[in-house]
Amino acid sequence: MSTPIETTVERLFRVLEARKIRYAVLRNYEYFPSLHRPDESSPHTDIDLVVNSRDLDKFRQILSGIAELDGWDALTECDHWAHSPVRHHNIEVFRFYRLDPLDYLQIDVFHGFLIWAFPLFNEEQLLAGRLYDESRSLTRVDPLKENVFRLFQIAGHYGGSERKVARYRRGVLAFRAAEPALFEQGLRAIVSSLAVDAVDALERSHLTTFLQKIWKVRLRFVMRFALRDPLAAPLYVICRLIDHANRFLMRQCGCVIRVYAPSEFQRGILRGLMSELLDYSFIDHWKECEAGIPRSWHDHLIMEQGAIVIEWTGRSGAHVDLSTAPDRLICACAILSFLVARHKRLYCRPHLADSVLYEEEVAG
């Protein structure tokens, strides 16, 4: 019997507290230990944390122990977003995988909150003022910082996810109503009085004015940062641009999986599985193509964010051979083995480890 994902979430925070790991939940914790939000169509959200860099090795050990204890098939660490020499640019991504029943949990560890390349809050600042939430048995970020973040998220998601925009708007306005003096004084101190004007526009549902104000807030923050630290500012920009270029062209989180499946029946099983992985938030996007078609700009764009491209190919060049194994579970094991092999494995059950080794040999 598999352990429910809610049990893993509860255990995670219980152990983090017991081991005195310096961490804080950044957002979207309101329904924990459930990761499903009634206002979202996806099955569950990720867990977003800030963790003290000196506690990361302990954090990895904790995750590995939980993966084994709760019966997950694999736990990986993705470093595609963690190559910048600037610490607050990096994100460590940890992924729990389960084959049967299909399940997935992602934990993202941040080290700063950025406006473009510059830290509005670095790791130390994000951890300062964190508070213990007794009702959920976890530690979360200072509510003022959380709501500053929400302001920028509203601007970032505008025109995309209306549900997220509405949810963050409710959160900001509720906090302002509950702590008006703290909120307005904090905004002026952290960013500028323009942010207060932006919230006023948000409350009146004048979103165009809100977006204009937020753009000015960003611009003013960047200019002030550059004047305050003229040596670090160009370094941060250069490192950020290089990191984006590498992720887009050479170090993508997504991948191309070459699959040999000569019949439409076999391809149909894999298409059904890929749609299922999409439904369970394993991936955000996938597409298929025949062998020999060059990667498009759009392919690079979606693969930077973790998309999978299934390329139908001949047996000799395939990473995955489905010609004699059209079973859904075998397909899932083959695809998962390939994904796990691309990242640092923190935990892997023996039956999957054998498949991973096989896939690495084929891919090589």
Side-chain angles (χ1 to χ4, degrees), residues 111-148:
H111 301 282
F113 173 55
L114 305 180
I115 293 181
W116 295 327
F118 307 106
L120 181 61
F121 304 116
N122 60 28
E123 178 185 288
E124 182 180 358
Q125 291 167 330
L126 282 174
L127 288 169
R130 61 200 177 111
L131 58 88
Y132 182 69
D133 187 330
E134 292 188 9
S135 64
R136 299 178 181 90
S137 301
L138 55 82
T139 299
R140 53 188 176 90
V141 73
D142 169 9
L144 177 60
K145 297 186 182 81
E146 179 185 359
N147 282 281
V148 170

Side-chain angles (χ1 to χ4, degrees), residues 43-326:
H44 55 70
T45 184
D46 301 336
I47 297 176
D48 293 337
L49 306 176
V50 54
V51 176
N52 189 301
S53 296
R54 287 171 291 182
D55 288 342
L56 271 177
D57 285 339
K58 292 180 182 178
F59 184 76
R60 292 183 179 97
Q61 294 170 6
I62 288 169
L63 295 187
S64 300
I66 290 173
E68 182 175 10
L69 192 61
D70 287 352
W72 291 87
D73 288 305
L75 167 67
T76 65
E77 179 179 352
C78 171
D79 67 350
H80 287 88
W81 287 275
H83 283 267
S84 174
V86 181
R87 186 61 179 148
H88 53 257
H89 289 174
N90 290 334
I91 308 170
E92 287 88 17
V93 179
F94 301 90
R95 298 186 178 107
F96 292 76
Y97 297 95
R98 182 180 288 132
L99 278 171
D100 191 20
L102 205 59
D103 220 341
Y104 175 81
L105 170 61
Q106 180 169 312
I107 300 174
D108 299 333
V109 174
F110 294 80
H111 301 282
F113 173 55
L114 305 180
I115 293 181
W116 295 327
F118 307 106
L120 181 61
F121 304 116
N122 60 28
E123 178 185 288
E124 182 180 358
Q125 291 167 330
L126 282 174
L127 288 169
R130 61 200 177 111
L131 58 88
Y132 182 69
D133 187 330
E134 292 188 9
S135 64
R136 299 178 181 90
S137 301
L138 55 82
T139 299
R140 53 188 176 90
V141 73
D142 169 9
L144 177 60
K145 297 186 182 81
E146 179 185 359
N147 282 281
V148 170
F149 168 81
R150 281 172 172 160
L151 277 180
F152 292 100
Q153 284 295 96
I154 292 168
H157 287 291
Y158 182 73
S161 175
E162 293 182 3
R163 292 176 177 175
K164 284 187 177 180
V165 168
R167 183 170 83 240
Y168 289 136
R169 179 180 181 273
R170 288 194 301 270
V172 167
L173 297 181
F175 183 71
R176 185 189 200 184
E179 300 283 353
L182 172 64
F183 186 58
E184 295 193 9
Q185 291 170 12
L187 282 185
R188 288 190 173 93
I190 294 170
V191 275
S192 73
S193 59
L194 279 171
V196 179
D197 297 338
V199 176
D200 290 338
L202 184 67
E203 191 166 21
R204 296 192 302 269
S205 297
H206 293 172
L207 287 179
T208 300
T209 303
F210 167 77
L211 293 173
Q212 291 170 347
K213 296 289 185 183
I214 289 295
W215 189 87
K216 291 178 181 178
V217 167
R218 285 177 170 146
L219 184 61
R220 179 174 292 188
F221 171 77
V222 168
M223 292 173 65
R224 288 168 57 190
F225 189 98
L227 290 172
R228 187 173 67 248
D229 202 340
L231 296 179
L235 175 65
Y236 288 173
V237 172
I238 291 169
C239 289
R240 192 67 167 164
L241 290 174
I242 291 173
D243 202 39
H244 275 306
N246 285 337
R247 283 206 313 271
F248 186 81
L249 295 172
M250 297 179 292
R251 200 183 70 237
Q252 298 184 315
C253 184
C255 61
V256 176
I257 304 180
R258 296 191 293 274
V259 178
Y260 177 57
S263 75
E264 275 301 312
F265 174 71
Q266 293 156 352
R267 294 187 179 193
I269 291 176
L270 184 54
R271 290 185 185 112
L273 172 66
M274 297 306 295
S275 297
E276 201 174 348
L277 294 179
L278 189 65
D279 291 341
Y280 277 84
S281 298
F282 277 64
I283 53 176
D284 293 324
H285 195 87
W286 79 277
K287 64 172 288 187
E288 58 181 300
C289 65
E290 296 296 331
I293 298 177
R295 301 280 77 79
S296 67
W297 180 270
H298 180 256
D299 290 343
H300 283 288
L301 194 64
I302 61 174
M303 288 168 63
E304 182 188 7
Q305 298 301 316
I308 294 176
V309 177
I310 298 295
E311 183 179 282
W312 306 115
T313 188
R315 175 177 276 142
S316 61
H319 297 133
V320 176
D321 184 347
L322 299 180
S323 60
T324 59

